[in-house]
Amino acid sequence: MITKRIIPCLDVKNGRVVKGVNFEGLSDVSSPVELGRYYSECGADELVFYDITASAEGRALFTDILREVAKTIFIPLTVGGGINTLDDFDRVLKCGADKVSVNSGAIRNPELITEAAKKYGDQCVVISADVKRVDGVFRVFAKGGRENTGMEAISWIKSCVERGAGEVVLNSIDTDGVKGGFDLEMLKAVSDVVNVPVIASGGAGKIDDFVELFNTLPKVDAGLAASIFHFGEVRIPDLKKVLRDNNINVRL
C-alpha cells in the first residue's frame, strides 16, 4: 500500500514566508529557515519552497535563502518560482533541491519539461498548475495566479506528464486559503488522466479534510497545505495519527 505524504508549503516573498487567500492579500508568517527546520523535525514527508513573485517580477529565484533551508532539513525538498531554463533547474538543484517545480516557465516553453526530464530524470520534474474555474471550465493561470492563459487545465496537465513531468502539484485557486476542504472535483479530473503522483494543494482547513481527500480519491498521493500548519491549527503528528486511525497509510 502506497504511503500518503503530508507536505507543508513555504510561499516565500522577499525572503519571508507569506500566506494569502485565493492567492491575494499576503501576510507575513515566519522565516523559511526556521519553519523548514520545524517541519523536518516534526514529521513532514517533504517540503515545498515557492519563490512566489519570481515569475511575476521576471527574476531568478532567491538562492541564498534556499541554500539555508536545504542545509537545515532532512526531508526531500521541491523548489519552484522563476524556473524558465535548464540553467535554472541546474542552479536550484545545486542549492540542495531534490525536485524542481515548473509552472509559468513551462507555459511559455513546454519543451522545457522534455529537456529537463531528459537531463535530470522524470522524478526530478514537477509540473505545478494553478487552476481556476472560468465559466465552468478549468483554466490554467500563470504568474502566481495573476494571469489567465486561456488554456484548458486537464489537457494541459496531461500533456506535461506526457512530456516527462514525474509529478503534478494541482493548486486550486478557487479553494486556496479558504479552508473549506480540498477541490475534490478538480483533483479527480486530473487523477483520472495521469499515471504519476498527484499532490492536492489548496483548501485544507482541518484534519478531516485530509481524511476525506485520501478516502474519496485514493489515487491522490499527497496533501499539501500552508497556513493550517504555519499557524499551528493542525499539527502534523496529530494529523498522521488520525490518518493512520482511518486506515490511511502514512509514515509516522
Side-chain angles (χ1 to χ4, degrees):
M1 200 158 108
I2 292 172
T3 303
K4 301 300 185 186
R5 292 171 288 152
I6 301 301
I7 307 175
C9 178
L10 308 183
D11 292 323
V12 179
K13 181 182 182 185
N14 300 326
R16 297 285 294 175
V17 177
V18 295
K19 194 66 195 104
V21 176
N22 302 124
F23 285 32
E24 294 176 356
L26 300 174
S27 59
D28 185 90
V29 177
S30 182
S31 147
V33 179
E34 287 168 24
L35 263 187
R37 179 186 291 117
Y38 167 72
Y39 289 132
S40 182
E41 290 170 353
C42 79
D45 296 294
E46 297 187 13
L47 188 67
V48 169
F49 177 111
Y50 286 138
D51 185 341
I52 59 169
T53 53
S55 287
E57 292 170 6
R59 60 167 170 78
L61 181 142
F62 291 126
T63 49
D64 50 351
I65 202 125
L66 172 56
R67 272 198 195 90
E68 286 298 307
V69 172
K71 272 195 306 207
T72 311
I73 67 172
F74 300 96
I75 51 177
L77 175 63
T78 298
V79 176
I83 306 293
N84 295 298
T85 64
L86 279 184
D87 283 347
D88 292 330
F89 268 82
D90 198 56
R91 194 163 46 84
V92 166
L93 289 167
K94 281 177 177 160
C95 286
D98 299 281
K99 294 183 268 190
V100 181
S101 173
V102 61
N103 185 335
S104 297
I107 292 166
R108 275 191 294 277
N109 173 25
E111 198 58 31
L112 176 61
I113 297 170
T114 315
E115 292 166 359
K118 205 173 283 181
K119 185 167 183 182
Y120 302 108
D122 294 11
Q123 80 292 337
C124 183
V125 183
V126 179
I127 182 68
S128 175
D130 296 333
V131 181
K132 185 177 184 178
R133 291 166 179 79
V134 179
D135 299 326
V137 178
F138 296 132
R139 297 289 182 196
V140 178
F141 278 65
K143 295 185 177 172
R146 294 170 182 81
E147 184 181 286
N148 184 356
T149 65
M151 291 194 300
E152 193 277 320
I154 308 306
S155 54
W156 161 247
I157 292 167
K158 185 169 185 268
S159 74
C160 291
V161 170
E162 286 165 355
R163 286 178 178 277
E167 193 165 74
V168 175
V169 176
L170 180 65
N171 310 301
S172 170
I173 298 175
D174 294 325
T175 59
D176 175 72
V178 178
K179 300 184 181 177
F182 289 101
D183 198 325
L184 301 179
E185 180 195 17
M186 193 184 286
L187 285 157
K188 182 177 189 310
V190 172
S191 300
D192 284 350
V193 299
V194 301
N195 58 356
V196 298
V198 174
I199 297 172
S201 170
K206 57 188 185 300
I207 286 177
D208 285 352
D209 293 334
F210 289 87
V211 176
E212 181 186 35
L213 169 70
F214 295 130
N215 277 336
T216 308
L217 299 174
K219 283 161 95 174
V220 170
D221 288 75
L224 180 148
S227 56
I228 58 164
F229 296 145
H230 299 342
F231 298 118
E233 294 161 52
V234 171
R235 291 180 65 255
I236 290 173
D238 299 340
L239 167 57
K240 287 190 164 187
K241 184 180 182 308
V242 173
L243 290 172
R244 179 61 68 86
D245 290 346
N246 281 271
N247 299 313
I248 295 162
N249 196 25
V250 289
R251 180 183 67 86
L252 291 178

